[in-house]
């Protein structure tokens, strides 16, 4: 699988579209193993850099830490909740149909079959 150059990767992380020959890499990046931590890191790393500016305010550091928490907790909450929406948008940007990506894992399907076999109502 071809990987993007450093410049292409920076552009991609900032929301840009990669060339067609990197479509497999984009699919793996957005749906493969570890995609959720990568997604959260793209949101949180730039945010943490900005939040560290709160340490420049005069006063005790615990107040700055609480101000940072007041921002970072809702960001993590909403970023986690909108993960699938953002992934579908990014896949669409690169010309990949998001509906073609299976949402349920094989283990979830197996668990559902087991549940239905054990607790099915007549």
């Amino acid at each position: 699988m071809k990987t993007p150059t450093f410049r292409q990767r920076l552009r991609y992380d900032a929301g840009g579209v990669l060339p067609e020959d990197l479509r497999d890499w984009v699919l793996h990046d957005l749906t493969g193993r570890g995609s959720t931590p990568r997604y959260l890191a793209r949101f949180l790393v730039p945010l943490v850099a900005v939040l560290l500016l709160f340490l420049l305010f005069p006063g005790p550091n615990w107040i700055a830490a609480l101000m940072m928490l007041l921002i970072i907790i809702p960001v993590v909450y909403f970023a986690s909740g909108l993960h699938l929406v953002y992934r579908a948008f990014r896949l669409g940007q690169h010309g990949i149909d998001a509906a073609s990506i299976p949402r349920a894992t094989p283990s979830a399907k197996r668990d559902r079959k087991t549940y239905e076999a054990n607790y099915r109502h007549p």
Side-chain angles (χ1 to χ4, degrees):
M1 171 181 359
K2 185 178 175 188
T3 59
T5 63
F6 182 72
R7 177 183 264 172
Q8 288 174 326
R9 181 67 190 256
L10 284 178
R11 192 168 144 236
Y12 172 77
D13 287 339
V17 178
L18 291 176
E20 293 244 352
D21 58 338
L22 293 169
R23 189 176 283 183
D24 290 337
W25 183 87
V26 170
L27 184 63
H28 172 71
D29 183 59
L30 294 174
T31 62
R33 187 178 183 99
S35 64
T36 303
R38 283 191 301 270
Y39 162 78
L40 288 174
R42 285 189 188 109
F43 274 86
L44 297 180
V45 169
L47 180 65
V48 168
V50 172
L51 290 180
L52 290 177
L53 294 174
F54 280 118
L55 295 174
L56 298 176
F57 283 94
N61 284 340
W62 65 271
I63 293 177
L66 289 177
M67 288 190 305
M68 288 185 243
L69 277 176
L70 281 172
I71 293 173
I72 203 154
I73 289 173
V75 166
V76 169
Y77 178 78
F78 285 109
S80 300
L82 293 172
H83 172 67
L84 293 177
V85 174
Y86 180 76
R87 180 175 75 175
F89 170 73
R90 293 291 287 174
L91 287 169
Q93 269 186 324
H94 289 87
I96 303 169
D97 184 21
S100 66
I101 309 299
R103 294 184 88 177
T105 60
S107 61
K109 289 179 184 177
R110 184 186 64 240
D111 292 345
R112 181 68 183 174
K113 286 180 183 176
T114 304
Y115 174 83
E116 288 176 353
N118 290 335
Y119 300 106
R120 195 172 104 185
H121 296 288

